[in-house]
Each structure stands twice: as structure tokens, then as C-alpha cells.
Amino acid sequence: MSGFFNMDSPVMRFLSRVCDLMILNFMCLICCIPIVTIGASVTALYSVTLKMVRGEESYIFKGFLKAFKENFKISTIIWLLLAVLGLLIFADYKATQFLPDNMKNIFRILVGVVITFYLLLMTYVFPYVARFENNVKNTLKNALLISILNLPHTVLVVCIPVGIVFITMFNSTTLVYGSLFWFLIGLSFIAFCNSYIFRKVFAKYEPQEEEEQGNPDDYTVPEEITPDKQDVIEEIEEKK
């Protein structure tokens, strides 16, 4: 029984992770309230969950606030741009109902294609900001390209929240429990699950650190040695 309450036991580690995600979810919801800060809040959320899946997390509260502050400018600019773009796409879709029948379907297909690319961009852009440093233009471009080049992973990333939303809206009972789930842990849980996928995808584009660490015993004496350096080398050899 004492092993059950051990902090290193699987059960306690699981409960600790759940508590961390609940705290993270609450912070994300609070920071999303001003609306204009949604981008920075989601970026901070992914900044913490990406570190979680790599085993690098420290303090949830401090880590979230630090990421929120550091990425606030670029995340807010991108969020506002995407919000305006989303409104324009929605307006274009609504405008298609005033077109003749033979043109309506064509334009709705075109708008549907634009919506698809928009969703791909929205899925990757804030996790990208959380992981990489870049300007707004390159961030948008790279996030869209990565989402397309890793389409199987992208489909999985999209299916996780869509599936949970579908279950939530299935009937009145699931709506009640689903709403409680979203309020307590929903956003952070999805970000945490998707972070495993993003970690695998982003690893392809992270700069490889070329560290050439030589063996200390493999010491090569230079061809030309001054007398004072010779004394130092002899002293080192004696210590060996």
C-alpha cells in the first residue's frame, strides 16, 4: 500500500500529470479571455506541452508565463492576421449563395480548398512558433509547408480534436460531461497528445548540433613546439 502513494509509482505520476494539465488548461483559458491574446495563449500552451513530451518541463506556471511573454508579439500578429483571413473566407462562403446555381458549386469548391489550407495552417502555426524562432512571413510559410509535407501526421493531429468534439456533441449526456472535460483539461490534453506528433515532425527540421568531442587520451602533439610549451607537455605526461 505504501508503494501506491510513492511519488515514483505509475499511479502517482499519472495523477501528477493530470494535475499539471488541469493547471495548464485553466491558464490557457484565462489568457484566451481577451480574445486578442488567443494566439499567444495557444503558443504558450504548446511551448509547455512540447517540453513535457521531451521530458524537459519544469514549473508549469512559470513556463507558461515565460513562453506567453516571449512569443506574445509574433503570436498576436499571426493570430490577428488569421482571424481577419478567417472572416474573409467566411464572408466569401456566404456570398456564394447569391451566385447562380451553375457558379455556386464551383465557387464553394474553391472556397473549400482555401478553407482546407487555412485549417492546415492554423493547426501547425502556433506549435511552430512555440518551437522555432522566425519572422511572421517565414513562420506562416514554413508552418503551411510542414503541414502539407507531413500530411499523414497532419490528418492525425486534426482527427484528435475533431473526434473529441464529435463525442462531446453526440447527445445531451455527452454534451454535459464533454463540456466539463473541455473546461477542466480539454485544451491541454489535446495539445499534450498532439505534441508527441509535433515532436516527431519538427525533429526533421531542427538544426543538427555537430558536436565533435574527442577522446581526452587521443592527444596529438603539434609539430613545432616552443621550449616553454615543451616543459608544460612533459609535466602533463608525468601526471598521466
Side-chain angles (χ1 to χ4, degrees), residues 22-52:
M22 291 177 68
I23 295 171
L24 194 57
N25 193 76
F26 181 74
M27 294 182 67
C28 182
L29 290 175
I30 292 296
C31 292
C32 283
I33 290 177
I35 305 300
V36 72
T37 58
I38 288 178
S41 181
V42 175
T43 299
L45 171 66
Y46 272 105
S47 179
V48 176
T49 55
L50 284 170
K51 290 179 180 178
M52 279 184 173

Side-chain angles (χ1 to χ4, degrees), residues 15-211:
L15 293 177
S16 176
R17 179 67 74 200
V18 171
C19 290
D20 288 343
L21 292 177
M22 291 177 68
I23 295 171
L24 194 57
N25 193 76
F26 181 74
M27 294 182 67
C28 182
L29 290 175
I30 292 296
C31 292
C32 283
I33 290 177
I35 305 300
V36 72
T37 58
I38 288 178
S41 181
V42 175
T43 299
L45 171 66
Y46 272 105
S47 179
V48 176
T49 55
L50 284 170
K51 290 179 180 178
M52 279 184 173
V53 299
R54 294 197 305 269
E56 300 176 0
E57 77 272 21
S58 53
Y59 296 104
I60 301 298
F61 188 81
K62 291 175 62 176
F64 182 92
L65 293 181
K66 181 181 178 181
F68 184 89
K69 181 180 178 180
E70 290 178 349
N71 300 296
F72 181 82
K73 182 178 179 181
I74 185 172
S75 298
T76 303
I77 293 173
I78 290 174
W79 162 244
L80 293 178
L81 289 174
L82 292 179
V84 172
L85 180 59
L87 291 175
L88 292 175
I89 294 174
F90 177 76
D92 287 340
Y93 179 80
K94 297 297 291 185
T96 57
Q97 63 183 343
F98 300 105
L99 296 174
D101 291 339
N102 57 339
M103 298 292 293
K104 182 185 299 183
N105 293 333
I106 296 176
F107 275 91
R108 283 189 172 178
I109 291 174
L110 293 176
V111 173
V113 173
V114 174
I115 291 174
T116 300
F117 284 104
Y118 179 79
L119 292 177
L120 293 178
L121 180 59
M122 284 288 288
T123 301
Y124 271 78
V125 68
F126 296 115
Y128 181 91
V129 174
R131 190 69 187 96
F132 302 100
E133 291 185 10
N134 219 322
N135 56 41
V136 174
K137 178 182 177 181
N138 289 334
T139 295
L140 293 172
K141 180 184 70 175
N142 292 342
L144 181 58
L145 289 176
I146 291 174
S147 68
I148 296 173
L149 293 174
N150 298 273
L151 199 56
H153 291 97
T154 302
V155 172
L156 184 58
V157 167
V158 173
C159 285
I160 292 175
V162 170
I164 296 177
V165 170
F166 177 79
I167 294 174
T168 301
M169 304 297 293
F170 188 73
N171 56 43
S172 58
T173 303
T174 58
L175 181 60
V176 173
Y177 289 106
S179 299
L180 183 62
F181 166 80
W182 285 102
F183 177 75
L184 292 178
I185 201 174
L187 295 178
S188 59
F189 174 78
I190 290 174
F192 181 71
C193 293
N194 283 344
S195 290
Y196 282 97
I197 304 172
F198 287 131
R199 177 192 178 188
K200 184 175 182 180
V201 171
F202 290 159
K204 305 175 185 177
Y205 310 99
E206 294 173 353
Q208 299 296 323
E209 297 181 0
E210 298 180 0
E211 298 180 353

